[in-house]
Amino acid sequence: MDQRDEQEFAEYFAARRDAVRRTAYMLCGDWHRADDLAQTAFVALHRRWKKIRDRAATDAYVRKTLVRASIDESRRPWRREWQTETLPEPPDDTPGLDDLVATREDLLAALKEVPPKQRAVLVLRFFEGLDVTGAAKALGCSEGNVKSQTARGLANLRQVLEREVETNG
């Protein structure tokens, strides 16, 4: 890449890095993995920067790369988390900031239990604000697939959240 391309990429990176990282976090629920996913997306973008003719489509390219990287990571067996019945430390009973963000934490925990493709559709539709057409383009699938994955994802999310309410009040 020449100096001008490097400068354009650096400006795009500086402007979009936080938004891409937040989207990655919504996809995986872990800030460390979100950093890895965002890095993967930006490295892929840097490799193709010179070939991208329509700079307005750059966000869509990054989003698609991010979703695919997230799904690929979830398929790797060494990345799977093992759930245990007991926590390593007893919970602190004093009310604090945790109580203020309980619903957010419950939502993020529930998102982790939704299958990766359904989670990707939910994040793109409801957190990124894409419509069905935009999500279909980002995922490289049909609009009907996005609609069915959205319905299934919402049903799974409701089921997980209801189970959480029944278990923990």
Side-chain angles (χ1 to χ4, degrees):
M1 281 198 306
D2 62 12
Q3 180 101 9
R4 186 178 55 84
D5 287 335
E6 286 290 343
Q7 182 64 30
E8 285 178 5
F9 177 80
E11 289 171 4
Y12 177 81
F13 175 77
R16 297 295 299 154
R17 113 180 116 219
D18 291 336
V20 170
R21 186 172 178 254
R22 281 191 303 271
T23 300
Y25 178 75
M26 295 303 295
L27 289 168
C28 68
D30 178 348
W31 284 111
H32 297 290
R33 284 187 61 209
D35 288 335
D36 291 345
L37 292 172
Q39 180 179 354
T40 299
F42 280 119
V43 166
L45 176 64
H46 187 266
R47 285 187 196 138
R48 308 246 331 141
W49 187 259
K50 201 170 186 176
K51 296 178 183 178
I52 296 175
R53 289 185 216 134
D54 182 12
R55 297 287 189 218
T58 306
D59 285 343
Y61 178 81
V62 170
R63 201 170 19 251
K64 189 173 191 173
T65 304
L66 196 62
V67 168
R68 287 183 175 173
S70 173
I71 291 171
D72 287 347
E73 281 288 310
S74 69
R75 291 179 179 155
R76 296 192 176 130
W78 61 86
R79 287 286 196 178
R80 293 190 184 127
E81 297 177 7
W82 299 96
Q83 295 182 1
T84 62
E85 294 296 321
T86 58
L87 296 174
E89 300 173 7
D92 187 14
D93 290 337
T94 59
L97 185 59
D98 303 344
D99 294 329
L100 298 175
V101 293
T103 56
R104 180 176 179 264
E105 292 301 320
D106 291 342
L107 178 62
L108 293 175
L111 269 174
K112 288 180 186 177
E113 294 188 39
V114 174
K117 287 185 181 180
Q118 293 173 8
R119 182 180 331 132
V121 169
L122 293 177
V123 168
L124 291 175
R125 292 280 322 279
F126 301 109
F127 294 101
E128 284 290 310
L130 295 180
D131 59 0
V132 173
T133 305
K137 286 180 183 176
L139 294 169
C141 64
S142 69
E143 292 181 16
N145 190 3
V146 169
K147 291 176 185 178
S148 66
Q149 291 294 326
T150 300
R152 289 183 191 128
L154 287 173
N156 283 335
L157 191 59
R158 278 188 204 100
Q159 185 179 18
V160 170
L161 288 172
E162 287 172 2
R163 188 173 65 230
E164 178 67 25
V165 168
E166 290 173 5
T167 306
N168 296 328

